[in-house]
Amino acid sequence: MKVFRISSPDSEQVDIVAEMLRNGELCVIPTETVYGLAANALDESAVDGIFRAKNRPNDNPLTVHICDSEDIDKYAKNVPDSARVLADKFWSGALTMVLERSGSIPPKVSAGSPTVALRMPDNDVSRAIIRKSGVPIVATSANRSGSPSPTTLSHVLDDMQGRVSAVVDGGDLELGIESTVINMLTNPPKILRLGSIGVAELESVIGVVEFDEKSAPASAHKHYSIGKKSVLVSGELDKFREYTESFKGDFAVLCFDGEESFFSCPCVTLGDKSNPPEVGRRFFSALRELEKLDVSTVFMRYPEDDSPISLAVKSRLMKTAENNFVEL
Ligand code: TXA
Ligand code: MG
């Protein structure tokens, strides 16, 4: 497995990774959200390889990553005007749109569905790799299925070492939370996953949208699991502490900066509570730190504000906790 550090989209190493992808090899590429496990969408065994490398259930479709807004019409058909308006406003960026799949994308990519998810990542090097490959590229978060997404090189190596041909090191990523996914085929459009682009921002461009994460494919599977009993607890810090102290058993706490001294158990911090972008960037590292602790239970503080990133973090924490939510 090769690790590339590519500082410019003009680097010769872009051609090397692009060629590996074209030839059916699996490569991890950075995006502004999380690292993506990428493959040639036209190569059936490469697409199968993605599902195997992640141990991903095959009812969960993959996203086609594009390098140009114009590619929307290569891979999707009957594209609604509202999708074009969203593409103009938010691409390149953390928005994935579900559209009607065109014949150029094999059904396997979309788990047999007549739809396709498209996203243009805001990362020059990855867009250059996609462009140079000359083929449609699918990518999915480069984690083992069910685990937290990877936002650092070391997360990627922990999950993908030996399973891929190459990793492009993009350092610690800018947003740290996966893209907002919106299904543009319903009226109103439905948000299937919250990311840093929130409901109000979308509605200011295309009018009413709904949030319906239960209609997302594979929503019944485990997501963001840390392999421990996890409880998401909303309430004031002192009540939270009392609640954890009454627990008989070993536990750790996921809290915010400055709160660690309230607890005598192991603590992992999500960062500065008043700085949601920082919390977003820290989020998956924090989950992975919790995963490594030798405790059976984790109590997690609930971000109380309703900024788009905090809402995205809350919906992911709910999945980690498997809906185990306590309001004090
Ligand atoms: O930020 C991101 O979106 C990252 C980076 C690597 O681009 N990718 C990512 O991929 O998070 P993945 O596979 O972990 O999540 C994609 C989500 C999944 O929930 C999947 O079910 C949904 O998008 N999705 C993909 N294709 C779809 C389709 N045709 N219809 C409905 N949902 C789809
Ligand atoms: Mg994922």
Side-chain angles (χ1 to χ4, degrees):
M1 191 191 77
K2 294 197 177 79
V3 176
F4 294 91
R5 282 180 194 83
I6 310 180
S7 49
S8 151
D10 301 321
S11 158
E12 283 172 11
Q13 292 185 317
V14 162
D15 301 77
I16 299 172
V17 179
E19 192 180 345
M20 291 172 93
L21 283 169
R22 188 167 54 246
N23 292 339
E25 295 184 65
L26 303 186
C27 302
V28 175
I29 57 173
T31 79
E32 79 281 30
T33 59
V34 303
Y35 278 90
L37 169 60
N40 176 350
L42 303 180
D43 184 324
E44 198 168 316
S45 74
V47 174
D48 281 340
I50 284 204
F51 284 90
R52 268 200 311 278
K54 285 188 72 163
N55 198 18
R56 183 176 177 95
N58 52 21
D59 60 352
N60 198 359
L62 303 171
T63 302
V64 175
H65 284 55
I66 63 177
C67 55
D68 241 305
S69 300
E70 279 82 71
D71 292 349
I72 198 168
D73 292 301
K74 280 194 198 158
Y75 307 135
K77 60 183 183 190
N78 305 323
V79 175
D81 288 344
S82 51
R84 293 187 197 282
V85 176
L86 287 181
D88 278 350
K89 168 90 179 166
F90 295 110
W91 282 355
S92 54
L95 183 71
T96 298
M97 288 194 275
V98 176
L99 298 162
E100 269 185 62
R101 180 166 51 81
S102 82
S104 61
I105 298 295
K108 188 182 271 276
V109 163
S110 302
S113 147
T115 62
V116 65
L118 298 183
R119 163 163 134 76
M120 178 155 81
D122 188 21
N123 182 292
D124 290 351
V125 168
S126 285
R127 282 206 312 278
I129 291 170
I130 294 166
R131 184 170 296 113
K132 283 276 170 153
S133 76
V135 292
I137 295 293
V138 279
T140 169
S141 57
N143 50 279
R144 304 281 182 95
S145 194
S147 292
S149 296
T151 52
T152 70
L153 179 66
S154 96
H155 298 164
V156 172
L157 298 179
D158 282 349
D159 281 18
M160 288 295 144
Q161 185 118 44
R163 291 168 180 250
V164 296
S165 301
V167 175
V168 178
D169 178 5
D172 296 354
L173 305 183
E174 197 184 319
L175 295 175
I177 297 276
E178 311 96 326
S179 61
T180 301
V181 180
I182 186 163
N183 182 358
M184 299 304 294
L185 300 174
T186 57
N187 188 11
K190 281 186 177 168
I191 296 179
L192 307 181
R193 181 176 71 187
L194 282 171
S196 55
I197 299 172
V199 174
E201 223 181 331
L202 292 165
E203 288 190 332
S204 72
V205 185
I206 56 163
V208 176
V209 302
E210 269 174 20
F211 176 46
D212 182 16
E213 58 182 351
K214 293 209 171 56
S215 70
S219 59
H221 297 302
K222 271 196 183 181
H223 292 283
Y224 313 119
S225 168
I226 54 172
K228 302 173 172 23
K229 180 170 185 250
S230 309
V231 189
L232 185 57
V233 186
S234 159
E236 297 296 322
L237 183 57
D238 47 351
K239 285 195 183 154
F240 181 99
R241 178 172 59 180
E242 267 171 43
Y243 179 80
T244 59
E245 279 170 354
S246 67
F247 179 74
K248 308 272 175 288
D250 59 330
F251 66 90
V253 158
L254 176 65
C255 61
F256 295 100
D257 278 2
E259 297 179 349
E260 302 92 322
S261 58
F262 278 72
F263 304 98
S264 50
C265 63
C267 287
V268 169
T269 170
L270 276 171
D272 176 357
K273 191 175 165 176
S274 62
N275 185 348
E278 180 187 323
V279 171
R281 280 191 294 276
R282 274 267 322 137
F283 180 62
F284 285 124
S285 289
L287 290 190
R288 283 171 181 258
E289 286 164 30
L290 289 170
E291 196 171 13
K292 292 198 172 109
L293 292 178
D294 186 20
V295 295
S296 55
T297 303
V298 173
F299 294 105
M300 307 186 298
R301 297 262 293 141
Y302 190 69
E304 302 288 347
D305 74 283
D306 281 342
S307 64
I309 293 177
S310 296
L311 289 172
V313 164
K314 287 191 259 198
S315 94
R316 284 161 179 74
L317 286 174
M318 277 298 239
K319 291 180 177 153
T320 300
E322 296 181 55
N323 295 318
N324 212 341
F325 179 61
V326 176
E327 237 173 323
L328 300 176

